[in-house]
Each structure stands twice: as C-alpha cells, then as structure tokens.
Amino acid sequence: PTQAVNVYGATKRAMEELVSQLRYGISLRLSNMIGAPFVYQAGGEKFLQFLSSQLQRRSVIGLKRDEVRSFVYVEDVVRVVSLLIERYVRLMPEATEGLLRETVLNMGGPQPLSRLELAELFSRTQHVPLSVADDEEAAQQMKASSSTDTWVVHVLPSASPIDTRGLDWSTMVTLPLRSPRNIAMDSSATEAALGFTFTKLEDVLPLSLVPR
C-alpha cells in the first residue's frame, strides 16, 4: 500500500491503477538506480559518481541519514524488463498459464540504505576511512584534525514540508520537494516470480565505477 506525500507520488499511483486494468498490465516500482556512469550527455552525474568524485577529493559533504531507499543495480532492472518481455511478448499467448498474479512488482536491491549509509558502504569497498560528524561545523573541525586519507561527511537535516499556499507555481522548480522518509522495498515476490536474485550492493559498487 502507498501513502503519497506529494503530487508526484500520487500521479505514479494513479498510473499504476490504470495499468492494472490492462490485460497484461504490470507496473515496476523502483526508488533509486545505481550503475555505471551515464556517458551519453556532456554534463551531470549520478549520485554514485558524485560520491566517487567527492571521496577522491576527500571533500566534506552533507548526506541525509533518515531517507531510506532500496538502491538497485541498473542491470538488474534491465534483466527484470527482459524477463517480462520474454514472458508476455515473445511467449504469448502460449504461456498464458505463466501470467503473474501481481500487477505491481518491486525492483529494489536487497539492502535498504540511506544516502549516508550508502556512502559508508562505498567507503568500505574503496578501503577509505570515513568519519561522520553531526553537522557541517563539526565536520570541518574533524577534517582539520584527521589524516589526509580520511573522508569526512556530516549528517544533513531533512528538508521541512513546504507550505505551497499562495505561492507562484512557476517558481516551484527551485523549491525542495517534500520526499518520503522510507520507501524501502521488499522485492522477494519479484525474485520468486522471475527466478533470480537482486545483486548485493557491495558487489554492485565496484562494477558501477567503470564506464562500459
């Protein structure tokens, strides 16, 4: 069951309800994908590549610890979509007995983590010591007294809910979006239905830093 905290989430749920009315309709849910760097545009970087660049520089950054996501490997997402195409497109109508009962499938990795916890896991895979401070001022003090090899991050406060009454909606793109705190996913039903296991993040991270 979903509890949308913003219009974006409510529209996604409305689309799921429409898709569920189709004969072979299936919605796939994911909260955050990680994978190899996106190389088809000149600028911008994904969150994991941002972490990698900040770790290399040993930059002091702030990360949230109370927003939990089920980070999933992009190649696992491709695999799920491929398996569904195989079942519903290539084998239909011969494989009608193999239809899934669920109209919504979760696609989340096996380890729900906050962005701060992902940074902690990433630093371990890179064999870099990480220190976590409660705020930016404490982080800067910790940085000054730590070894040059240590990466220092601090806990970033979550954005407060926005009161949109009376606002000019043309300016909304510059405002923070109220975000759900915990959208961790149990993807065991997806694994059972399709016969595979989502990749553990400690195995994903080394693969995700090398452009394919």
Side-chain angles (χ1 to χ4, degrees):
T2 57
Q3 294 180 338
V5 299
N6 54 46
V7 174
Y8 174 59
T11 55
K12 289 203 295 185
R13 180 55 186 153
M15 188 63 185
E16 288 178 353
E17 292 174 352
L18 287 174
V19 170
S20 70
Q21 299 172 23
L22 301 174
R23 183 178 181 185
Y24 305 125
I26 294 176
S27 297
L28 302 175
R29 285 181 181 169
L30 57 83
S31 59
N32 204 310
M33 281 192 296
I34 58 177
F38 185 61
V39 296
Y40 299 104
Q41 63 183 22
E45 58 184 354
K46 300 299 184 182
F47 180 64
L48 187 57
Q49 281 68 52
F50 166 77
L51 285 183
S52 178
S53 63
Q54 298 308 303
L55 179 145
Q56 291 175 12
R57 300 187 188 102
R58 301 300 192 269
S59 302
V60 175
I61 59 172
L63 297 170
K64 293 182 180 180
R65 90 170 0 147
D66 65 344
E67 287 188 0
V68 178
R69 303 292 184 260
S70 291
F71 295 91
V72 63
Y73 190 27
V74 63
E75 292 195 13
D76 284 348
V77 174
V78 172
R79 189 176 179 190
V80 169
V81 173
S82 298
L83 289 170
L84 289 172
I85 290 174
E86 178 74 15
R87 178 175 296 189
Y88 287 98
V89 179
R90 294 190 60 192
L91 300 181
M92 292 299 293
E94 292 81 0
T96 52
E97 70 278 1
L99 293 177
L100 298 175
R101 295 179 181 179
E102 300 85 358
T103 59
V104 177
L105 294 178
N106 287 342
M107 291 194 299
Q111 300 150 271
L113 298 173
S114 68
R115 292 181 185 272
L116 179 57
E117 289 172 328
L118 182 63
E120 291 173 329
L121 177 60
F122 178 62
S123 66
R124 289 197 297 271
T125 66
Q126 302 302 299
H127 308 290
V128 172
L130 174 69
S131 295
V132 180
D134 291 333
D135 54 51
E136 186 174 4
E137 182 179 355
Q140 294 294 348
Q141 295 174 353
M142 189 179 293
K143 173 73 172 178
S145 60
S146 300
S147 70
T148 55
D149 190 47
T150 300
W151 187 27
V152 178
V153 303
H154 65 87
V155 178
L156 191 67
S158 296
S160 301
I162 303 168
D163 184 356
T164 59
R165 291 172 295 181
L167 287 178
D168 177 3
W169 285 91
S170 66
T171 67
M172 289 299 290
V173 292
T174 65
L175 296 175
L177 178 69
R178 184 182 179 188
S179 183
R181 294 290 176 262
N182 189 332
I183 49 175
M185 296 180 174
D186 179 1
S187 301
S188 57
T190 306
E191 293 178 323
L194 299 179
F196 87 108
T197 302
F198 285 98
T199 309
K200 293 181 179 180
L201 291 183
E202 57 261 35
D203 297 328
V204 171
L205 294 177
L207 299 173
S208 300
L209 299 178
V210 180
R212 299 294 178 87

